[in-house]
Amino acid sequence: MSIAAKFEIEYLQYLDAEGKQVRDDLPAFAKDLDHMVELYKLMLSTRVFDAKSVALQRTGKLGTYASCLGHEAAHVGIGSAMKPEDVLAVSYREYGAQLYRGVQPREVYMYWGGDERGNDYQNGAARHDFAWSVPIATQCLHAAGTALAFKIRNEKRVAVCTIGDGGSSKGDFYGAINIAGAQNLPMVAVIVNNQWAISVPRKIQSGAPTLAQKGIAAGLFCIQVDGNDIIAVRKAMEDALERARNGEGGSVLELVTYRLSDHTTADDARRYRGEQEVKDAWAKEPMKRLRNWLVSKKVWDDKKEEAWKAECDEWMDNEVNAYLQTKTQPVTAMFDYTFAEVPADLAKQRDLALSLDKKAH
């Protein structure tokens, strides 16, 4: 029998669970220890932000919130590899990537607090990124369309989308990677495989040995990466972005990590996963391994850690206060940004809402 084609999926890792190097060919950025310290500081900032966010929700000052605990290396690795002119289309928990690109915590809080103005990012590269996408996998199609526009305009830019392990089973994801391969689009699709699609485990989500290989059928470059190793994530992202920017096609990256938190603050993961599984995942978490590596290089220590945490606390206090002090929009705002000309039925609803609001005040 003749063979039509053969495929294999490479696995990339530089740091093991204890922060020890498992290969010597460090990429150039990882040899810049000052830069690696900055990446660690952003990972730590993201974790402080996340803890504050959960506390805000638990005290009734924020709506349902999707935690990013355990995803810090994956998310910061994605954001730090991108260029400012690239475009990011996220789902709803990639805060580390967004913070790197200029999104402010107060904007995150406005969004989860029910204020759409949080999607109007004001700073840096984030100004042309997409808003959060709660409908599963639709952001992948947004990225594919953006990548097509880049190709038509002959712009050296790349569209990046992120999706979870569960979301990679959606038709939107498959449609996006299929058109990316068929049209040779500058798109990078990143599957952040955190092992759980709410209560559905990875083992019954797909029969494929890897999720990365889903891109093979689309004709894309595919790789599986240790998603708790920021050096591996950043390296895989840099390579994928460079290929896309040079017209060499798109990629599917699978970042293998673990969701250390509940799916959202409306979830209780204790109902469907065991305590030992979570305990084992904590032993592989991303912060510890990078910290250990930096300590071994003598560029980080407990004193620096505590000092940075204090700065993070002050930063977050300012962001929380800015969010809590933001004036609410008028009740009519919910009607004002969908249609150029408000239909008659919505105009009646708007007038009724306005009259009820006036009576309430």
Side-chain angles (χ1 to χ4, degrees):
M1 180 183 295
S2 59
I3 303 298
K6 287 185 177 182
F7 308 98
E8 62 182 11
I9 300 296
E10 178 187 349
Y11 177 76
L12 184 63
Q13 182 190 58
Y14 286 91
L15 302 179
D16 67 13
E18 298 303 319
K20 297 177 181 178
Q21 282 183 223
V22 297
R23 50 192 293 172
D24 296 325
D25 57 334
L26 285 178
F29 69 84
K31 296 175 183 178
D32 182 348
L33 294 180
D34 289 338
H35 180 66
M36 293 307 299
V37 166
E38 291 305 310
L39 293 182
Y40 177 76
K41 288 166 73 174
L42 180 55
M43 289 170 61
L44 186 54
S45 299
T46 303
R47 184 160 289 191
V48 172
F49 155 80
D50 191 67
K52 178 66 74 173
S53 305
V54 173
L56 280 174
Q57 193 280 330
R58 296 306 190 204
T59 54
K61 298 175 182 177
L62 198 65
T64 298
Y65 169 79
S67 170
C68 63
L69 185 64
H71 300 69
E72 296 86 359
H75 295 168
V76 173
I78 293 168
S80 64
M82 295 175 66
K83 291 187 176 181
E85 62 267 26
D86 295 333
V87 168
L88 179 62
V90 296
S91 52
Y92 46 78
R93 73 171 87 242
E94 286 80 28
Y95 311 115
Q98 291 183 297
L99 291 173
Y100 192 96
R101 289 178 61 78
V103 173
Q104 303 173 87
R106 68 187 70 180
E107 293 169 329
V108 182
Y109 294 152
M110 288 174 70
Y111 173 76
W112 287 115
D115 191 330
E116 286 292 335
R117 288 176 296 178
N119 281 317
D120 185 16
Y121 316 132
Q122 296 298 308
N123 293 333
R127 288 180 63 85
H128 55 240
D129 288 345
F130 281 89
W132 288 281
S133 180
V134 172
I136 304 300
T138 54
Q139 72 275 8
C140 300
L141 295 171
H142 302 157
T146 302
L148 178 59
F150 292 161
K151 182 180 179 181
I152 292 172
R153 296 173 181 172
N154 196 29
E155 296 177 348
K156 293 283 189 179
R157 304 169 70 187
V158 183
V160 176
C161 63
T162 58
I163 188 71
D165 41 297
S168 73
S169 296
K170 292 291 295 294
D172 308 69
F173 172 78
Y174 286 112
I177 64 172
N178 186 68
I179 194 66
Q183 296 294 323
N184 195 43
L185 301 182
M187 187 184 99
V188 177
V190 186
I191 303 171
V192 183
N193 176 7
N194 66 17
Q195 311 304 317
W196 288 93
I198 308 183
S199 59
V200 179
R202 160 66 179 90
K203 63 184 178 182
I204 64 172
Q205 184 64 235
S206 171
T210 72
L211 299 182
Q213 71 196 71
K214 292 185 176 188
I216 291 176
L220 302 180
F221 176 85
C222 307
I223 187 172
Q224 187 185 72
V225 182
D226 183 341
N228 290 334
D229 173 5
I230 192 170
I231 298 177
V233 174
R234 170 74 173 267
K235 171 61 174 171
M237 279 296 301
E238 282 190 347
D239 290 348
L241 290 164
E242 191 65 17
R243 282 192 299 270
R245 212 179 306 281
N246 292 334
E248 299 171 19
S251 300
V252 172
L253 278 57
E254 177 190 1
L255 311 184
V256 181
T257 182
Y258 192 85
R259 193 191 78 211
L260 294 172
S261 61
D262 296 327
H263 175 68
T264 69
T265 50
D267 175 43
D268 181 2
R270 294 172 298 179
R271 295 176 299 167
Y272 53 79
R273 66 183 186 187
E275 182 179 341
Q276 187 59 48
E277 176 184 328
V278 180
K279 183 178 180 181
D280 291 344
W282 271 104
K284 302 175 184 178
E285 64 100 3
M287 300 294 297
K288 180 183 73 172
R289 70 175 68 188
L290 181 56
R291 185 183 189 281
N292 286 350
W293 184 75
L294 291 174
V295 169
S296 73
K297 300 293 184 181
K298 302 187 186 306
V299 293
W300 197 254
D301 54 37
D302 291 343
K303 185 177 179 180
K304 291 179 179 179
E305 178 113 358
E306 292 307 312
W308 182 246
K309 283 182 178 179
E311 287 192 41
C312 289
D313 287 339
E314 182 178 356
W315 166 63
M316 282 309 309
D317 286 343
N318 292 333
E319 290 296 312
V320 169
N321 289 335
Y323 158 64
L324 295 176
Q325 293 167 9
T326 300
K327 292 183 179 180
T328 58
Q329 297 187 82
V331 68
T332 53
M334 72 177 81
F335 302 96
D336 291 343
Y337 304 105
T338 302
F339 298 95
E341 296 181 9
V342 180
D345 59 331
L346 287 183
K348 289 181 180 179
Q349 293 180 37
R350 181 182 61 188
D351 292 342
L352 176 60
L354 186 59
S355 64
L356 292 174
D357 184 61
K358 288 181 179 178
K359 289 179 181 180
H361 295 86

